[in-house]
Amino acid sequence: MKRGSGFKFWVISALAAGMSGGVVAATIDLNGAWQFKKEGEADWREVRVPHDWAIGYDFNPKFDPGSGMLPWQATGEYRRKFTVSEADAKNLATGGEAYLEFDGVMSRPQVSLNGVAVGGSIYGYLGFTIPVGGVLKSGENELSVKADTHRQKTRFYCGGGIYRDVRLRILPKGHVVPGSVAIRTSEVTVESASVAMEWRMDNGELQRRKIKVEKPHFWDVDDPYLYSVEIGGEVYRYGIRTASFTTEDGFHLNGRRLQLKGVCLHSDLGLIGMVANKDALRRQLAIMRDMGVNAVRTSHNCPDPKLLDLCDEMGFVVWDESFDKWDGTAGWTGAENWEEYITGVLKSFVRRDRNHPCVVAWSIGNEIGGQSGRYYTGVSRTSCRKFREAVLSEDDTRPVGIAAWQKETVDAFQDLDLTGWNYARRYMPMKTKYPKIPMVYTESCSSFSDYGYFGNGQPATGRTSYDWDRHRTCGYDYTAASYSDIPDVEFWRMEKDRWMAGEFVWTGIDYLGEPAPWTGKTGKARSSSFGIVDLTGFPKDRFWLYRSYWKKDAETVHLIPHWNWDGRADKVTVMVYTSGDEAELFLNGKSLGKRSKLLDIDYPVDFMKDGVGDYYRICDRYRLTWRDVPFEPGALKAVAYRNGRQIGEDVRETAGKAVSVRCVTDPYSRPEDELFFVRIDAVDEQGRLDPWNESKVLITVEGPAELVGAGNGNPHERTGFASPVQPLFFGRAMAAVRRLGTGEIAVRAKFED
Ligand code: GAL
């Protein structure tokens, strides 16, 4: 531990080491029990904050289908009491200050303390801090919050209410103003790094300190080492690393090229909706990490601060995105001066996130187009330049970018440090005209699939051949949005365009809302089908395709489809996703031959408009396919090899009718998690998954725990997550359970007659 000089309370130490003492400050956790009343309700009821007032209801198309079919559009009031000790009150009486910190309220919260209106905010995705020292008193205090989502525009589910953490901090005189600390590293080499810290004291004074760290331990994706520093009694973490986007060689972290194997992630957490929860976030990232992901794009809004804490701790680089559009989706109603509004939000956003080593780029928006429509939302050279300056005024250590899609807008981006492009190799016009601006594939692969569904045992025949009769998209992953591609095409593109930093797949995990392709007249779905992982956090088969290609430190052998086709298909196409280079397929012990990946394939890099026939040739490079295997019940087995050495196998056995329901703790939840997930499988007598089972199950929890939400991955499902009775989807469902104390917990499920 090294102690600096000149300032009383600052210490530099590795995170694991102890911290020094500091000024006496108090934090009152204001999560937990609040009273709540939603528009139209007569009585107050008890809720637990963080809280999403719309999650748990049955999905109903009378509520906007585009944003999740849930009643999030409403007003709601929250109130609670809390106590301030005499000692804390004394801090206030002697020149201290108290700050109410909200990490996010959807949306337009108006906050009152002891009957006095103390402040609010506009943009629901960004937290805010209110100084309340003048109103806070010793003893009991009453806090109330009104939120209103009626004016919130969104293309996805955004929830409603106090959906992120709340706390009160009481700081004595002579404190550092919350949110004012900036920690910048520079002159980073293996020998040393300069760490510059800056903060504002409560008397308005700006203070600075610079230290040198010898032989720094770099923060990296596979070794996310964090330093910490104590400034004014608070501990701040930072990482030492170099990050740069290059025009010719993609992204470099700590001086080496790092291919971004990224995913776009939405703010909603499936079964618990928008409720911000660290265990659920960590689980999402653990699922992504198991697939080989090293980068996250916070599409399209300021994420929960806990997500960035986790990315710091787990080693993900982040494209930190502030907005979808510069319009009502940014919370802007038209009443505020547009440029001032966007500038103000951007500054707060950057101030909030700038000390996270995981953040490697700022994004000022997504697919912001022309200058027409109800609001002026257009991208122009002036607006981009202005917003870039706003970001740089708070942090000049990272590039400022935007995610784009229209070639008409390239000129507007010429002053940005970086551009992101969505789909279909649309980045080429920018590359041609502005070759000195580095690029990222901010959205790739808007492909569709439903977990467990394999049509009639054959992959789709064209990119947009969705199953309109059954309203399903097929698990062979041959379909995508008309403007986008299947995973294999994007893998190929990223191999060819090595000057690109890498891709962010749309999306890592399904989300509520944007229920493509079942939109418009067929708008019957509650959630997306884009995810590599379903809404409940269960990996679709596509997960294994990514894992086989992206995850270098593990072997993957995964066989699709299931092997229950009696009376449904005579011939079935079989695929193997493996990190190996070849595999042999056996049906009931008889070899159906070996297949090898075709690595010297020649295939176009540009978008292929038709997306049929020849389009799928590239799949032979990344997956192994046996077409039209005559179905016969029994065991289908794949044995995979690399360089002739066996690396693993996978088996699908024909299952009998389910006789029971098995509950399995989700492998990505940790035993110590307060909120954990339990998978529910319909199994036959021998414990094999019955892959067509869509029976209803009743889920119960015994012991010191409660069922928080349950559901399945069917985008068309209407049963709300609050219901303990859930239909299975292709044999499966998931439950989210909260531990309420110590002691044994039993989660059980049984078929509901
Ligand atoms: C993109 C857009 C995303 C999402 C996606 C679906 O164009 O940026 O927000 O809508 O399409 O494919």
Side-chain angles (χ1 to χ4, degrees):
M1 188 184 293
K2 298 169 197 165
R3 188 170 286 271
S5 57
F7 293 100
K8 207 169 164 197
F9 300 117
W10 83 271
V11 172
I12 296 172
S13 63
L15 187 65
M19 304 164 195
S20 83
V23 287
V24 184
T27 300
I28 299 177
D29 180 0
L30 293 176
N31 288 339
W34 285 64
Q35 289 190 312
F36 171 68
K37 194 162 62 160
K38 197 176 175 191
E39 174 184 335
E41 290 176 357
D43 300 319
W44 291 92
R45 56 188 159 104
E46 288 272 313
V47 297
R48 171 194 280 265
V49 165
H51 175 243
D52 174 351
W53 71 43
I55 203 70
Y57 290 86
D58 283 346
F59 298 91
N60 189 329
K62 79 175 184 202
F63 305 118
D64 176 28
S67 59
M69 291 191 192
L70 287 171
W72 61 266
Q73 270 167 312
T75 53
E77 287 180 63
Y78 294 83
R79 66 181 189 196
R80 69 163 287 162
K81 293 189 171 133
F82 62 90
T83 308
V84 170
S85 72
E86 270 179 33
D88 290 338
K90 214 165 171 191
N91 268 338
L92 288 176
T94 52
E97 182 56 281
Y99 299 90
L100 261 177
E101 295 181 349
F102 289 85
D103 284 348
V105 179
M106 193 63 70
S107 48
R108 301 201 158 247
Q110 294 174 305
V111 182
S112 302
L113 183 60
N114 300 327
V116 180
V118 287
S121 151
I122 296 184
Y123 189 32
Y125 285 98
L126 194 61
F128 55 98
T129 298
I130 310 174
V132 290
V135 189
L136 200 68
K137 49 185 200 197
S138 177
E140 193 173 84
N141 287 264
E142 180 152 8
L143 179 61
S144 71
V145 178
K146 285 187 186 161
D148 179 355
T149 50
H150 286 294
R151 283 174 293 178
Q152 181 70 39
K153 300 278 179 281
T154 185
R155 300 191 297 123
F156 318 98
Y157 180 68
C158 61
I162 310 177
Y163 72 104
R164 289 181 182 164
D165 292 346
V166 194
R167 68 195 80 81
L168 175 75
R169 293 173 54 211
I170 305 173
L171 302 175
K173 186 176 166 132
H175 63 266
V176 173
V177 175
S180 70
V181 174
I183 304 174
R184 297 185 180 86
T185 56
S186 60
E187 297 153 46
V188 176
T189 69
V190 285
E191 290 308 321
S192 68
S194 235
V195 183
M197 297 156 215
E198 184 185 287
W199 62 91
R200 191 170 293 283
M201 298 303 294
D202 55 352
N203 62 6
E205 194 190 320
L206 197 63
Q207 298 201 350
R208 293 198 176 90
R209 174 81 189 169
K210 202 167 192 170
I211 54 146
K212 206 168 178 185
V213 177
E214 305 291 346
K215 300 237 180 294
H217 190 153
F218 289 144
W219 181 92
D220 212 316
V221 285
D222 43 22
D223 180 18
Y225 189 84
L226 294 169
Y227 286 86
S228 68
V229 57
E230 189 182 309
I231 301 171
E234 288 282 321
V235 175
Y236 297 85
R237 304 192 308 187
Y238 65 96
I240 300 178
R241 47 115 184 108
T242 61
S244 60
F245 289 85
T246 74
T247 48
E248 300 307 321
D249 194 40
F251 176 68
H252 283 202
L253 186 65
N254 299 323
R256 70 172 204 291
R257 185 178 191 283
L258 182 75
Q259 179 75 25
L260 296 186
K261 300 169 185 171
V263 286
C264 297
L265 289 181
H266 270 259
S267 297
D268 88 65
L269 289 168
L271 299 180
I272 61 169
M274 289 291 284
V275 170
N277 180 281
K278 196 162 183 182
D279 292 335
L281 284 165
R282 186 190 294 102
R283 169 178 175 255
Q284 287 203 334
L285 291 175
I287 299 170
M288 295 297 107
R289 177 47 51 87
D290 188 29
M291 191 168 81
V293 170
N294 59 18
V296 169
R297 173 180 179 221
T298 65
S299 53
H300 297 299
N301 306 99
C302 318
D304 183 10
K306 290 192 286 295
L307 179 86
L308 298 181
D309 288 342
L310 286 164
C311 288
D312 282 346
E313 291 161 19
M314 296 170 77
F316 290 87
V317 297
V318 175
W319 165 281
D320 202 3
E321 193 150 276
S322 48
F323 303 114
D324 187 8
K325 320 290 176 221
W326 299 328
D327 63 2
T329 64
W332 186 67
T333 56
E336 310 82 17
N337 173 293
W338 174 71
E339 279 182 357
E340 273 174 29
Y341 174 76
I342 297 294
T343 300
V345 177
L346 278 173
K347 286 186 172 197
S348 319
F349 162 63
V350 173
R351 217 175 298 134
R352 187 195 72 162
D353 292 352
R354 64 190 169 185
N355 296 334
H356 289 280
C358 64
V359 175
V360 294
W362 301 113
S363 167
I364 58 173
N366 171 62
E367 294 193 350
I368 300 169
Q371 303 187 356
S372 56
R374 185 162 162 218
Y375 304 126
Y376 173 89
T377 63
V379 134
S380 68
R381 189 172 174 192
T382 318
S383 57
C384 286
R385 196 155 43 188
K386 218 178 205 120
F387 297 153
R388 174 177 178 269
E389 274 159 21
V391 170
L392 294 183
S393 70
E394 298 295 333
D395 174 55
D396 58 2
T397 69
R398 297 170 176 90
V400 182
I402 193 166
W405 89 117
Q406 284 178 314
K407 61 178 183 304
E408 293 73 21
T409 53
V410 296
D411 291 333
F413 306 140
Q414 59 187 291
D415 304 309
L416 293 179
D417 310 297
L418 176 68
T419 57
W421 290 86
N422 296 353
Y423 309 115
R425 212 173 182 236
R426 291 187 190 133
Y427 42 80
M428 284 318 288
M430 187 83 195
K431 168 84 174 160
T432 310
K433 193 153 181 200
Y434 297 100
K436 293 286 166 235
I437 301 178
M439 273 185 273
V440 192
Y441 206 12
T442 29
E443 274 173 48
S444 66
C445 194
S446 260
S447 70
F448 297 117
S449 49
D450 290 328
Y451 163 74
Y453 178 67
F454 296 94
N456 296 327
Q458 298 295 347
T461 50
R463 187 168 51 211
T464 55
S465 307
Y466 322 126
D467 189 336
W468 292 97
D469 296 336
R470 284 176 273 197
H471 276 197
R472 298 252 177 272
T473 52
C474 190
Y476 287 106
D477 291 306
Y478 263 33
T479 55
S482 58
Y483 47 82
S484 183
D485 286 295
I486 60 171
D488 317 61
V489 172
E490 309 285 27
F491 291 158
W492 174 251
R493 203 167 267 154
M494 288 301 98
E495 276 179 44
K496 290 282 154 186
D497 293 340
R498 292 271 298 171
W499 43 271
M500 287 289 281
E503 65 179 306
F504 288 92
V505 176
W506 188 267
T507 49
I509 302 176
D510 273 334
Y511 49 94
L512 289 164
E514 197 174 43
W518 320 118
T519 47
K521 283 197 202 112
T522 63
K524 291 193 182 107
R526 64 169 191 205
S527 48
S528 77
S529 306
F530 291 117
I532 302 171
V533 168
D534 81 13
L535 191 68
T536 71
F538 188 75
K540 301 177 189 173
D541 293 281
R542 204 188 320 158
F543 172 94
W544 302 98
L545 176 59
Y546 279 96
R547 190 181 194 269
S548 70
Y549 180 64
W550 274 358
K551 193 168 169 71
K552 297 295 175 213
D553 57 355
E555 301 292 8
T556 300
V557 188
H558 185 78
L559 184 58
I560 61 168
H562 58 72
W563 208 238
N564 269 57
W565 295 97
D566 244 343
R568 296 178 194 263
D570 297 332
K571 290 182 171 173
V572 176
T573 289
V574 173
M575 292 182 189
V576 172
Y577 301 153
T578 178
S579 49
D581 45 34
E582 59 178 0
E584 186 166 8
L585 191 66
F586 298 89
L587 180 54
N588 293 327
K590 190 170 151 275
S591 174
L592 299 179
K594 258 190 182 172
R595 297 272 187 279
S596 305
K597 287 183 181 168
L598 295 184
L599 298 178
D600 57 355
I601 216 156
D602 180 37
Y603 189 86
V605 193
D606 278 326
F607 185 61
M608 289 169 75
K609 278 220 172 65
D610 57 354
V612 295
D614 215 31
Y615 176 72
Y616 296 104
R617 240 175 359 98
I618 193 63
C619 296
D620 290 339
R621 185 177 165 85
Y622 303 103
R623 29 176 137 175
L624 304 170
T625 305
W626 286 256
R627 299 224 173 248
D628 297 330
V629 172
F631 176 71
E632 137 192 330
L636 183 73
K637 179 163 95 170
V639 183
Y641 300 85
R642 184 168 341 89
N643 299 326
R645 191 180 63 82
Q646 187 174 324
I647 57 162
E649 59 177 56
D650 197 20
V651 184
R652 295 283 167 274
E653 283 180 41
T654 309
K657 208 175 150 18
V659 293
S660 61
V661 189
R662 180 175 57 200
C663 295
V664 184
T665 307
D666 183 79
Y668 303 102
S669 280
R670 304 174 312 168
E672 65 267 39
D673 286 351
E674 186 188 299
L675 186 86
F676 60 96
F677 290 77
V678 175
R679 203 185 74 217
I680 295 149
D681 300 338
V683 291
D684 72 359
E685 262 165 357
Q686 266 121 70
R688 294 175 298 214
L689 183 82
D690 175 359
W692 292 99
N693 198 302
E694 303 210 330
S695 312
K696 283 188 176 166
V697 295
L698 169 68
I699 304 159
T700 51
V701 176
E702 291 159 27
E706 64 180 358
L707 184 65
V708 180
N712 66 39
N714 179 3
H716 298 275
E717 184 56 57
R718 297 282 174 87
T719 312
F721 296 151
S723 171
V725 177
Q726 292 286 339
L728 300 174
F729 184 57
F730 294 106
R732 296 203 200 274
M734 191 77 79
V737 178
R738 178 183 290 113
R739 196 186 300 276
L740 298 172
T742 49
E744 200 128 302
I745 298 164
V747 178
R748 299 184 207 282
K750 62 170 187 147
F751 288 121
E752 176 82 345
D753 321 305

